[in-house]
Structures are given as structure tokens and as C-alpha cells.
PDB file of all heavy atoms in Angstrom:
ATOM      1  N   GLU U  30      -2.929  -8.476  12.669  1.00 98.00           N
ATOM      2  CA  GLU U  30      -2.585  -7.448  11.681  1.00 98.00           C
ATOM      3  C   GLU U  30      -2.458  -8.057  10.289  1.00 98.00           C
ATOM      4  O   GLU U  30      -2.904  -7.458   9.296  1.00 98.00           O
ATOM      5  CB  GLU U  30      -1.282  -6.762  12.077  1.00 98.00           C
ATOM      6  CG  GLU U  30      -1.400  -5.866  13.300  1.00 98.00           C
ATOM      7  CD  GLU U  30      -0.070  -5.248  13.703  1.00 98.00           C
ATOM      8  OE1 GLU U  30       0.905  -5.353  12.928  1.00 98.00           O
ATOM      9  OE2 GLU U  30       0.011  -4.667  14.810  1.00 98.00           O
ATOM     10  N   THR U  31      -1.850  -9.231  10.193  1.00 98.00           N
ATOM     11  CA  THR U  31      -1.698  -9.874   8.887  1.00 98.00           C
ATOM     12  C   THR U  31      -3.055 -10.226   8.298  1.00 98.00           C
ATOM     13  O   THR U  31      -3.316  -9.984   7.107  1.00 98.00           O
ATOM     14  CB  THR U  31      -0.833 -11.144   9.003  1.00 98.00           C
ATOM     15  OG1 THR U  31       0.484 -10.776   9.394  1.00 98.00           O
ATOM     16  CG2 THR U  31      -0.764 -11.879   7.677  1.00 98.00           C
ATOM     17  N   ALA U  32      -3.930 -10.810   9.108  1.00 98.00           N
ATOM     18  CA  ALA U  32      -5.265 -11.164   8.617  1.00 98.00           C
ATOM     19  C   ALA U  32      -6.014  -9.925   8.151  1.00 98.00           C
ATOM     20  O   ALA U  32      -6.673  -9.935   7.100  1.00 98.00           O
ATOM     21  CB  ALA U  32      -6.053 -11.886   9.713  1.00 98.00           C
ATOM     22  N   ALA U  33      -5.905  -8.836   8.905  1.00 98.00           N
ATOM     23  CA  ALA U  33      -6.559  -7.585   8.519  1.00 98.00           C
ATOM     24  C   ALA U  33      -5.955  -7.016   7.237  1.00 98.00           C
ATOM     25  O   ALA U  33      -6.666  -6.484   6.374  1.00 98.00           O
ATOM     26  CB  ALA U  33      -6.443  -6.571   9.660  1.00 98.00           C
ATOM     27  N   HIS U  34      -4.640  -7.115   7.107  1.00 98.00           N
ATOM     28  CA  HIS U  34      -3.913  -6.635   5.926  1.00 98.00           C
ATOM     29  C   HIS U  34      -4.341  -7.403   4.674  1.00 98.00           C
ATOM     30  O   HIS U  34      -4.677  -6.812   3.640  1.00 98.00           O
ATOM     31  CB  HIS U  34      -2.420  -6.803   6.188  1.00 98.00           C
ATOM     32  CG  HIS U  34      -1.523  -6.482   5.033  1.00 98.00           C
ATOM     33  ND1 HIS U  34      -0.803  -5.309   4.950  1.00 98.00           N
ATOM     34  CD2 HIS U  34      -1.195  -7.194   3.923  1.00 98.00           C
ATOM     35  CE1 HIS U  34      -0.082  -5.305   3.843  1.00 98.00           C
ATOM     36  NE2 HIS U  34      -0.296  -6.443   3.195  1.00 98.00           N
ATOM     37  N   GLU U  35      -4.343  -8.736   4.768  1.00 98.00           N
ATOM     38  CA  GLU U  35      -4.708  -9.539   3.601  1.00 98.00           C
ATOM     39  C   GLU U  35      -6.177  -9.356   3.242  1.00 98.00           C
ATOM     40  O   GLU U  35      -6.545  -9.360   2.063  1.00 98.00           O
ATOM     41  CB  GLU U  35      -4.395 -11.012   3.856  1.00 98.00           C
ATOM     42  CG  GLU U  35      -2.923 -11.313   4.099  1.00 98.00           C
ATOM     43  CD  GLU U  35      -2.007 -10.801   3.009  1.00 98.00           C
ATOM     44  OE1 GLU U  35      -2.456 -10.628   1.852  1.00 98.00           O
ATOM     45  OE2 GLU U  35      -0.827 -10.542   3.305  1.00 98.00           O
ATOM     46  N   MET U  36      -7.013  -9.164   4.233  1.00 98.00           N
ATOM     47  CA  MET U  36      -8.411  -8.850   3.967  1.00 98.00           C
ATOM     48  C   MET U  36      -8.515  -7.524   3.213  1.00 98.00           C
ATOM     49  O   MET U  36      -9.343  -7.378   2.305  1.00 98.00           O
ATOM     50  CB  MET U  36      -9.183  -8.784   5.282  1.00 98.00           C
ATOM     51  CG  MET U  36     -10.627  -8.348   5.129  1.00 98.00           C
ATOM     52  SD  MET U  36     -11.500  -8.376   6.706  1.00 98.00           S
ATOM     53  CE  MET U  36     -12.903  -7.323   6.318  1.00 98.00           C
ATOM     54  N   GLY U  37      -7.673  -6.556   3.578  1.00 98.00           N
ATOM     55  CA  GLY U  37      -7.663  -5.284   2.850  1.00 98.00           C
ATOM     56  C   GLY U  37      -7.357  -5.481   1.383  1.00 98.00           C
ATOM     57  O   GLY U  37      -7.990  -4.875   0.508  1.00 98.00           O
ATOM     58  N   HIS U  38      -6.370  -6.331   1.072  1.00 98.00           N
ATOM     59  CA  HIS U  38      -6.084  -6.660  -0.325  1.00 98.00           C
ATOM     60  C   HIS U  38      -7.299  -7.284  -1.000  1.00 98.00           C
ATOM     61  O   HIS U  38      -7.672  -6.910  -2.118  1.00 98.00           O
ATOM     62  CB  HIS U  38      -4.923  -7.647  -0.416  1.00 98.00           C
ATOM     63  CG  HIS U  38      -3.575  -7.051  -0.169  1.00 98.00           C
ATOM     64  ND1 HIS U  38      -3.192  -5.827  -0.673  1.00 98.00           N
ATOM     65  CD2 HIS U  38      -2.493  -7.535   0.502  1.00 98.00           C
ATOM     66  CE1 HIS U  38      -1.948  -5.582  -0.316  1.00 98.00           C
ATOM     67  NE2 HIS U  38      -1.499  -6.592   0.400  1.00 98.00           N
ATOM     68  N   GLN U  39      -7.899  -8.258  -0.337  1.00 98.00           N
ATOM     69  CA  GLN U  39      -9.028  -8.984  -0.913  1.00 98.00           C
ATOM     70  C   GLN U  39     -10.176  -8.041  -1.267  1.00 98.00           C
ATOM     71  O   GLN U  39     -10.937  -8.281  -2.202  1.00 98.00           O
ATOM     72  CB  GLN U  39      -9.506 -10.058   0.063  1.00 98.00           C
ATOM     73  CG  GLN U  39     -10.568 -11.002  -0.476  1.00 98.00           C
ATOM     74  CD  GLN U  39     -10.042 -11.993  -1.494  1.00 98.00           C
ATOM     75  OE1 GLN U  39      -8.834 -12.070  -1.728  1.00 98.00           O
ATOM     76  NE2 GLN U  39     -10.923 -12.755  -2.113  1.00 98.00           N
ATOM     77  N   LEU U  40     -10.275  -6.935  -0.542  1.00 98.00           N
ATOM     78  CA  LEU U  40     -11.346  -5.968  -0.771  1.00 98.00           C
ATOM     79  C   LEU U  40     -10.899  -4.787  -1.633  1.00 98.00           C
ATOM     80  O   LEU U  40     -11.681  -3.864  -1.858  1.00 98.00           O
ATOM     81  CB  LEU U  40     -11.887  -5.468   0.571  1.00 98.00           C
ATOM     82  CG  LEU U  40     -12.528  -6.546   1.451  1.00 98.00           C
ATOM     83  CD1 LEU U  40     -13.041  -5.945   2.751  1.00 98.00           C
ATOM     84  CD2 LEU U  40     -13.649  -7.268   0.713  1.00 98.00           C
ATOM     85  N   GLY U  41      -9.648  -4.798  -2.103  1.00 98.00           N
ATOM     86  CA  GLY U  41      -9.253  -3.807  -3.100  1.00 98.00           C
ATOM     87  C   GLY U  41      -8.190  -2.813  -2.708  1.00 98.00           C
ATOM     88  O   GLY U  41      -7.919  -1.876  -3.467  1.00 98.00           O
ATOM     89  N   LEU U  42      -7.552  -2.970  -1.551  1.00 98.00           N
ATOM     90  CA  LEU U  42      -6.519  -2.032  -1.128  1.00 98.00           C
ATOM     91  C   LEU U  42      -5.130  -2.531  -1.524  1.00 98.00           C
ATOM     92  O   LEU U  42      -4.798  -3.694  -1.323  1.00 98.00           O
ATOM     93  CB  LEU U  42      -6.556  -1.833   0.388  1.00 98.00           C
ATOM     94  CG  LEU U  42      -7.821  -1.210   0.975  1.00 98.00           C
ATOM     95  CD1 LEU U  42      -7.661  -1.057   2.491  1.00 98.00           C
ATOM     96  CD2 LEU U  42      -8.145   0.131   0.330  1.00 98.00           C
ATOM     97  N   PHE U  43      -4.329  -1.631  -2.087  1.00 97.00           N
ATOM     98  CA  PHE U  43      -2.947  -1.931  -2.431  1.00 97.00           C
ATOM     99  C   PHE U  43      -2.022  -1.591  -1.258  1.00 97.00           C
ATOM    100  O   PHE U  43      -2.426  -0.944  -0.288  1.00 97.00           O
ATOM    101  CB  PHE U  43      -2.516  -1.106  -3.642  1.00 97.00           C
ATOM    102  CG  PHE U  43      -3.243  -1.446  -4.913  1.00 97.00           C
ATOM    103  CD1 PHE U  43      -4.331  -0.696  -5.330  1.00 97.00           C
ATOM    104  CD2 PHE U  43      -2.827  -2.505  -5.704  1.00 97.00           C
ATOM    105  CE1 PHE U  43      -4.995  -0.991  -6.507  1.00 97.00           C
ATOM    106  CE2 PHE U  43      -3.481  -2.815  -6.884  1.00 97.00           C
ATOM    107  CZ  PHE U  43      -4.575  -2.059  -7.287  1.00 97.00           C
ATOM    108  N   HIS U  44      -0.778  -2.003  -1.361  1.00 98.00           N
ATOM    109  CA  HIS U  44       0.233  -1.525  -0.420  1.00 98.00           C
ATOM    110  C   HIS U  44       0.388  -0.019  -0.581  1.00 98.00           C
ATOM    111  O   HIS U  44       0.458   0.486  -1.705  1.00 98.00           O
ATOM    112  CB  HIS U  44       1.580  -2.199  -0.684  1.00 98.00           C
ATOM    113  CG  HIS U  44       1.618  -3.641  -0.299  1.00 98.00           C
ATOM    114  ND1 HIS U  44       2.515  -4.534  -0.836  1.00 98.00           N
ATOM    115  CD2 HIS U  44       0.877  -4.354   0.598  1.00 98.00           C
ATOM    116  CE1 HIS U  44       2.326  -5.734  -0.312  1.00 98.00           C
ATOM    117  NE2 HIS U  44       1.339  -5.649   0.560  1.00 98.00           N
ATOM    118  N   THR U  45       0.471   0.678   0.531  1.00 98.00           N
ATOM    119  CA  THR U  45       0.640   2.130   0.455  1.00 98.00           C
ATOM    120  C   THR U  45       1.984   2.491  -0.171  1.00 98.00           C
ATOM    121  O   THR U  45       2.086   3.394  -0.999  1.00 98.00           O
ATOM    122  CB  THR U  45       0.546   2.751   1.850  1.00 98.00           C
ATOM    123  OG1 THR U  45       1.462   2.066   2.725  1.00 98.00           O
ATOM    124  CG2 THR U  45      -0.862   2.615   2.406  1.00 98.00           C
ATOM    125  N   THR U  46       3.033   1.806   0.246  1.00 97.00           N
ATOM    126  CA  THR U  46       4.372   1.929  -0.343  1.00 97.00           C
ATOM    127  C   THR U  46       4.843   0.527  -0.660  1.00 97.00           C
ATOM    128  O   THR U  46       4.731  -0.371   0.164  1.00 97.00           O
ATOM    129  CB  THR U  46       5.355   2.602   0.632  1.00 97.00           C
ATOM    130  OG1 THR U  46       4.978   3.966   0.821  1.00 97.00           O
ATOM    131  CG2 THR U  46       6.781   2.548   0.091  1.00 97.00           C
ATOM    132  N   GLU U  47       5.365   0.340  -1.867  1.00 96.00           N
ATOM    133  CA  GLU U  47       5.878  -0.971  -2.242  1.00 96.00           C
ATOM    134  C   GLU U  47       7.312  -1.153  -1.754  1.00 96.00           C
ATOM    135  O   GLU U  47       7.957  -0.204  -1.292  1.00 96.00           O
ATOM    136  CB  GLU U  47       5.787  -1.168  -3.756  1.00 96.00           C
ATOM    137  CG  GLU U  47       4.510  -1.823  -4.206  1.00 96.00           C
ATOM    138  CD  GLU U  47       4.284  -3.150  -3.510  1.00 96.00           C
ATOM    139  OE1 GLU U  47       5.255  -3.884  -3.203  1.00 96.00           O
ATOM    140  OE2 GLU U  47       3.113  -3.465  -3.252  1.00 96.00           O
ATOM    141  N   THR U  48       7.814  -2.361  -1.903  1.00 93.00           N
ATOM    142  CA  THR U  48       9.107  -2.768  -1.356  1.00 93.00           C
ATOM    143  C   THR U  48      10.218  -1.763  -1.587  1.00 93.00           C
ATOM    144  O   THR U  48      10.934  -1.376  -0.670  1.00 93.00           O
ATOM    145  CB  THR U  48       9.532  -4.115  -1.977  1.00 93.00           C
ATOM    146  OG1 THR U  48       8.444  -5.032  -1.908  1.00 93.00           O
ATOM    147  CG2 THR U  48      10.744  -4.679  -1.251  1.00 93.00           C
ATOM    148  N   GLY U  49      10.374  -1.333  -2.830  1.00 96.00           N
ATOM    149  CA  GLY U  49      11.509  -0.487  -3.193  1.00 96.00           C
ATOM    150  C   GLY U  49      11.328   0.989  -2.939  1.00 96.00           C
ATOM    151  O   GLY U  49      12.257   1.775  -3.156  1.00 96.00           O
ATOM    152  N   GLY U  50      10.152   1.413  -2.499  1.00 96.00           N
ATOM    153  CA  GLY U  50       9.926   2.822  -2.214  1.00 96.00           C
ATOM    154  C   GLY U  50       9.859   3.700  -3.448  1.00 96.00           C
ATOM    155  O   GLY U  50      10.147   4.905  -3.373  1.00 96.00           O
ATOM    156  N   THR U  51       9.454   3.117  -4.574  1.00 96.00           N
ATOM    157  CA  THR U  51       9.320   3.894  -5.806  1.00 96.00           C
ATOM    158  C   THR U  51       7.920   3.823  -6.397  1.00 96.00           C
ATOM    159  O   THR U  51       7.600   4.576  -7.313  1.00 96.00           O
ATOM    160  CB  THR U  51      10.327   3.431  -6.875  1.00 96.00           C
ATOM    161  OG1 THR U  51      10.110   2.040  -7.156  1.00 96.00           O
ATOM    162  CG2 THR U  51      11.756   3.644  -6.400  1.00 96.00           C
ATOM    163  N   VAL U  52       7.096   2.920  -5.902  1.00 95.00           N
ATOM    164  CA  VAL U  52       5.716   2.819  -6.371  1.00 95.00           C
ATOM    165  C   VAL U  52       4.779   2.809  -5.174  1.00 95.00           C
ATOM    166  O   VAL U  52       5.118   2.298  -4.098  1.00 95.00           O
ATOM    167  CB  VAL U  52       5.499   1.573  -7.249  1.00 95.00           C
ATOM    168  CG1 VAL U  52       6.217   1.714  -8.574  1.00 95.00           C
ATOM    169  CG2 VAL U  52       5.945   0.310  -6.527  1.00 95.00           C
ATOM    170  N   PHE U  53       3.578   3.378  -5.388  1.00 96.00           N
ATOM    171  CA  PHE U  53       2.674   3.629  -4.268  1.00 96.00           C
ATOM    172  C   PHE U  53       1.248   3.330  -4.692  1.00 96.00           C
ATOM    173  O   PHE U  53       0.973   3.046  -5.858  1.00 96.00           O
ATOM    174  CB  PHE U  53       2.813   5.085  -3.805  1.00 96.00           C
ATOM    175  CG  PHE U  53       4.244   5.507  -3.613  1.00 96.00           C
ATOM    176  CD1 PHE U  53       4.923   6.188  -4.620  1.00 96.00           C
ATOM    177  CD2 PHE U  53       4.938   5.179  -2.457  1.00 96.00           C
ATOM    178  CE1 PHE U  53       6.256   6.551  -4.471  1.00 96.00           C
ATOM    179  CE2 PHE U  53       6.268   5.528  -2.299  1.00 96.00           C
ATOM    180  CZ  PHE U  53       6.934   6.220  -3.305  1.00 96.00           C
ATOM    181  N   ASP U  54       0.328   3.390  -3.747  1.00 96.00           N
ATOM    182  CA  ASP U  54      -1.056   3.091  -4.092  1.00 96.00           C
ATOM    183  C   ASP U  54      -1.696   4.252  -4.850  1.00 96.00           C
ATOM    184  O   ASP U  54      -1.054   5.275  -5.095  1.00 96.00           O
ATOM    185  CB  ASP U  54      -1.866   2.704  -2.845  1.00 96.00           C
ATOM    186  CG  ASP U  54      -2.106   3.855  -1.883  1.00 96.00           C
ATOM    187  OD1 ASP U  54      -1.902   5.024  -2.256  1.00 96.00           O
ATOM    188  OD2 ASP U  54      -2.500   3.582  -0.731  1.00 96.00           O
ATOM    189  N   ILE U  55      -2.958   4.085  -5.231  1.00 95.00           N
ATOM    190  CA  ILE U  55      -3.629   5.089  -6.062  1.00 95.00           C
ATOM    191  C   ILE U  55      -4.420   6.101  -5.231  1.00 95.00           C
ATOM    192  O   ILE U  55      -5.111   6.946  -5.795  1.00 95.00           O
ATOM    193  CB  ILE U  55      -4.560   4.435  -7.094  1.00 95.00           C
ATOM    194  CG1 ILE U  55      -5.656   3.623  -6.407  1.00 95.00           C
ATOM    195  CG2 ILE U  55      -3.762   3.558  -8.042  1.00 95.00           C
ATOM    196  CD1 ILE U  55      -6.711   3.075  -7.364  1.00 95.00           C
ATOM    197  N   LEU U  56      -4.333   5.999  -3.926  1.00 97.00           N
ATOM    198  CA  LEU U  56      -5.109   6.882  -3.066  1.00 97.00           C
ATOM    199  C   LEU U  56      -4.321   8.142  -2.743  1.00 97.00           C
ATOM    200  O   LEU U  56      -3.112   8.085  -2.507  1.00 97.00           O
ATOM    201  CB  LEU U  56      -5.496   6.145  -1.785  1.00 97.00           C
ATOM    202  CG  LEU U  56      -6.262   4.838  -2.009  1.00 97.00           C
ATOM    203  CD1 LEU U  56      -6.527   4.137  -0.685  1.00 97.00           C
ATOM    204  CD2 LEU U  56      -7.565   5.087  -2.758  1.00 97.00           C
ATOM    205  N   ASN U  57      -5.014   9.265  -2.704  1.00 95.00           N
ATOM    206  CA  ASN U  57      -4.348  10.551  -2.554  1.00 95.00           C
ATOM    207  C   ASN U  57      -4.014  10.926  -1.119  1.00 95.00           C
ATOM    208  O   ASN U  57      -3.288  11.897  -0.889  1.00 95.00           O
ATOM    209  CB  ASN U  57      -5.217  11.663  -3.169  1.00 95.00           C
ATOM    210  CG  ASN U  57      -5.364  11.512  -4.663  1.00 95.00           C
ATOM    211  OD1 ASN U  57      -4.437  11.092  -5.344  1.00 95.00           O
ATOM    212  ND2 ASN U  57      -6.543  11.845  -5.181  1.00 95.00           N
ATOM    213  N   ASP U  58      -4.547  10.169  -0.160  1.00 97.00           N
ATOM    214  CA  ASP U  58      -4.351  10.593   1.229  1.00 97.00           C
ATOM    215  C   ASP U  58      -3.510   9.626   2.051  1.00 97.00           C
ATOM    216  O   ASP U  58      -3.493   9.713   3.276  1.00 97.00           O
ATOM    217  CB  ASP U  58      -5.704  10.820   1.903  1.00 97.00           C
ATOM    218  CG  ASP U  58      -6.477   9.524   2.136  1.00 97.00           C
ATOM    219  OD1 ASP U  58      -6.145   8.511   1.476  1.00 97.00           O
ATOM    220  OD2 ASP U  58      -7.406   9.519   2.966  1.00 97.00           O
ATOM    221  N   THR U  59      -2.820   8.689   1.402  1.00 98.00           N
ATOM    222  CA  THR U  59      -1.941   7.781   2.137  1.00 98.00           C
ATOM    223  C   THR U  59      -0.492   8.233   2.000  1.00 98.00           C
ATOM    224  O   THR U  59      -0.074   8.708   0.940  1.00 98.00           O
ATOM    225  CB  THR U  59      -2.084   6.334   1.630  1.00 98.00           C
ATOM    226  OG1 THR U  59      -1.941   6.308   0.206  1.00 98.00           O
ATOM    227  CG2 THR U  59      -3.438   5.761   2.003  1.00 98.00           C
ATOM    228  N   ALA U  60       0.256   8.070   3.072  1.00 97.00           N
ATOM    229  CA  ALA U  60       1.647   8.536   3.086  1.00 97.00           C
ATOM    230  C   ALA U  60       2.508   7.697   2.149  1.00 97.00           C
ATOM    231  O   ALA U  60       2.305   6.493   1.996  1.00 97.00           O
ATOM    232  CB  ALA U  60       2.200   8.460   4.503  1.00 97.00           C
ATOM    233  N   GLU U  61       3.485   8.361   1.527  1.00 97.00           N
ATOM    234  CA  GLU U  61       4.447   7.684   0.661  1.00 97.00           C
ATOM    235  C   GLU U  61       5.824   7.734   1.315  1.00 97.00           C
ATOM    236  O   GLU U  61       6.235   8.762   1.836  1.00 97.00           O
ATOM    237  CB  GLU U  61       4.503   8.366  -0.711  1.00 97.00           C
ATOM    238  CG  GLU U  61       3.200   8.310  -1.478  1.00 97.00           C
ATOM    239  CD  GLU U  61       3.287   9.034  -2.811  1.00 97.00           C
ATOM    240  OE1 GLU U  61       4.324   9.690  -3.070  1.00 97.00           O
ATOM    241  OE2 GLU U  61       2.322   8.948  -3.595  1.00 97.00           O
ATOM    242  N   CYS U  62       6.520   6.616   1.284  1.00 97.00           N
ATOM    243  CA  CYS U  62       7.874   6.554   1.837  1.00 97.00           C
ATOM    244  C   CYS U  62       8.848   6.352   0.685  1.00 97.00           C
ATOM    245  O   CYS U  62       8.971   5.251   0.136  1.00 97.00           O
ATOM    246  CB  CYS U  62       7.964   5.405   2.846  1.00 97.00           C
ATOM    247  SG  CYS U  62       9.522   5.378   3.763  1.00 97.00           S
ATOM    248  N   LEU U  63       9.516   7.410   0.293  1.00 96.00           N
ATOM    249  CA  LEU U  63      10.342   7.412  -0.906  1.00 96.00           C
ATOM    250  C   LEU U  63      11.733   6.841  -0.658  1.00 96.00           C
ATOM    251  O   LEU U  63      12.396   7.193   0.325  1.00 96.00           O
ATOM    252  CB  LEU U  63      10.479   8.825  -1.470  1.00 96.00           C
ATOM    253  CG  LEU U  63       9.305   9.353  -2.313  1.00 96.00           C
ATOM    254  CD1 LEU U  63       8.081   9.602  -1.453  1.00 96.00           C
ATOM    255  CD2 LEU U  63       9.711  10.611  -3.054  1.00 96.00           C
ATOM    256  N   ASN U  64      12.142   5.995  -1.575  1.00 93.00           N
ATOM    257  CA  ASN U  64      13.482   5.415  -1.519  1.00 93.00           C
ATOM    258  C   ASN U  64      14.551   6.486  -1.500  1.00 93.00           C
ATOM    259  O   ASN U  64      15.567   6.363  -0.816  1.00 93.00           O
ATOM    260  CB  ASN U  64      13.673   4.485  -2.722  1.00 93.00           C
ATOM    261  CG  ASN U  64      15.076   3.950  -2.848  1.00 93.00           C
ATOM    262  OD1 ASN U  64      16.003   4.668  -3.184  1.00 93.00           O
ATOM    263  ND2 ASN U  64      15.238   2.651  -2.603  1.00 93.00           N
ATOM    264  N   SER U  65      14.319   7.568  -2.224  1.00 90.00           N
ATOM    265  CA  SER U  65      15.345   8.590  -2.410  1.00 90.00           C
ATOM    266  C   SER U  65      15.775   9.267  -1.119  1.00 90.00           C
ATOM    267  O   SER U  65      16.911   9.749  -1.015  1.00 90.00           O
ATOM    268  CB  SER U  65      14.844   9.659  -3.395  1.00 90.00           C
ATOM    269  OG  SER U  65      13.629  10.228  -2.931  1.00 90.00           O
TER     270      SER U  65
END
């Protein structure tokens, strides 16, 4: 999973939800997990 994840970054994919749950990727169809 880690190798696949890092490969995703290398090819242009961001984290769907970042650490703090306040910033997200630029794609419209990925789920967001809000800190709030």
C-alpha cells in the first residue's frame, strides 16, 4: 500500500485529506474528512 501510495504522489495525486482535516485534494469526487 505504501509503495502504491508513493507512486500515486509521483504521478500527480495529492492526499485526499491532509493531516489536520482542513485541506483536501483538487479532485471533485474524492471524500473529504473534516476536522470539524
Side-chain angles (χ1 to χ4, degrees):
E30 289 177 10
T31 295
H34 174 103
E35 298 306 335
M36 175 177 162
H38 285 318
Q39 187 72 7
L40 297 180
L42 297 181
F43 294 97
H44 289 157
T45 52
T46 292
E47 268 305 326
T48 312
T51 59
V52 291
F53 312 97
D54 69 14
I55 61 173
L56 304 177
N57 295 324
D58 70 342
T59 51
E61 297 178 353
C62 188
L63 280 69
N64 174 289
S65 57

